[in-house]
Amino acid sequence: AQSVTQLGSHVSVSEGALVLLRCNYSSSVPPYLFWYVQYPNQGLQLLLKYTSAATLVKGINGFEAEFKKSETSFHLTKPSAHMSDAAEYFCAVIGNFGNEKLTFGTGTRLTIIP
Amino acid sequence: ETGVTQSPTHLIKTRGQQVTLRCSSQSGHNTVSWYQQALGQGPQFIFQYYREEENGRGNFPPRFSGLQFPNYSSELNVNALELDDSALYLCASSLRHAGGSNEQFFGPGTRLTVL
């Protein structure tokens, strides 16, 4: 079985500051890891994914995440926050190819302070 | 390329009623997954359909059922609605193939309110 834990249900950062959203995973097999973003009243949009290639993954909108097996982490970062980054962010894991069930974390709401 | 679409966007039902939600897959995709997202929570996997057959199910009772059609579109049916069924229902499509990365593309969701 696989799971993800997102630390911090709410994160606030100032515009232009570093964004760091935390995600730790648990998986009995090498995981595929994902970050999704959800804007109000919308579905989920894929930001980036880790599929056992490079450990540093670059995504859309300037976001990136680093897979650290020793820490079982896949934290999402962005060097400089923009007002448009305000949204809900979900970390998710698939642990077993062929069973494409995404297991999501509880989400982190990101607020950008002007 | 057409993305994933869902209908209706909003729906209000009363307890005990039945509801059908619809999803059209992204062009070229052969797999559809359904998720329930309660308010303030992450999405929870309901079930997945691949080539018209159920291919995995989450911890949901049998009154949640689905179909996938030859054109890979899908329906989610919920019988005997309960208040706790109020949620955003998300459909995601993907292309299942050897060596794939299982990327799922989500639709905008159907907001179901049960009164």
Side-chain angles (χ1 to χ4, degrees):
Chain A
Q2 48 278 336
S3 64
V4 290
T5 301
Q6 292 185 243
L7 300 176
S9 58
H10 291 85
V11 170
S12 296
V13 301
S14 298
E15 190 175 14
L18 171 71
V19 175
L20 170 60
L21 304 183
R22 300 177 186 272
C23 174
N24 288 88
Y25 70 90
S26 173
S27 179
S28 56
V29 297
Y32 290 170
L33 292 159
F34 306 79
W35 275 99
Y36 284 88
V37 61
Q38 186 175 37
Y39 297 101
N41 300 313
Q42 294 188 25
L44 300 173
Q45 180 183 9
L46 181 67
L47 279 176
L48 49 80
K49 61 184 178 184
Y50 167 76
T51 57
S52 73
T55 56
L56 181 62
V57 181
K58 294 187 183 297
I60 63 171
N61 302 338
F63 284 94
E64 63 181 37
E66 186 172 7
F67 174 74
K68 292 187 177 180
K69 184 177 180 180
S70 61
E71 299 177 9
T72 61
S73 68
F74 190 58
H75 301 331
L76 181 71
T77 60
K78 182 175 180 177
S80 178
H82 191 273
M83 294 301 295
S84 61
D85 295 328
E88 188 90 20
Y89 291 80
F90 293 95
C91 181
V93 63
I94 290 177
N96 185 13
F97 178 73
N99 174 7
E100 297 182 13
K101 165 189 171 183
L102 276 167
T103 299
F104 287 87
T106 52
T108 298
R109 181 169 299 278
L110 177 63
T111 300
I112 309 298
I113 304 168
Chain B
E1 183 179 270
T2 306
V4 180
T5 60
Q6 293 186 243
S7 63
T9 54
H10 294 85
L11 202 52
I12 299 175
K13 292 286 188 178
T14 57
R15 274 188 308 175
Q17 286 189 310
Q18 179 268 340
V19 68
T20 297
L21 310 182
R22 295 179 174 82
C23 172
S24 291
S25 303
Q26 183 165 311
S27 178
H29 285 182
N30 56 16
T31 303
V32 174
S33 303
W34 285 92
Y35 295 83
Q36 180 197 65
Q37 185 180 16
L39 198 61
Q41 301 294 317
Q44 298 290 316
F45 176 76
I46 302 174
F47 44 54
Q48 180 183 92
Y49 280 82
Y50 171 62
R51 292 185 176 179
E52 303 179 54
E53 293 192 0
E54 189 177 290
N55 178 51
R57 188 180 184 92
N59 189 26
F60 281 82
R63 59 189 185 84
F64 285 79
S65 63
L67 285 172
Q68 187 181 32
F69 301 100
N71 66 354
Y72 302 121
S73 66
S74 177
E75 287 183 354
L76 164 65
N77 298 289
V78 187
N79 294 321
L81 283 167
E82 301 177 359
L83 296 180
D84 285 348
D85 296 334
S86 295
L88 180 68
Y89 288 85
L90 295 165
C91 167
S93 75
S94 56
L95 176 61
R96 185 173 176 179
H97 58 87
S101 60
N102 306 335
E103 181 173 343
Q104 298 185 20
F105 293 82
F106 283 81
T110 293
R111 174 75 61 187
L112 173 64
T113 301
V114 181
L115 302 176

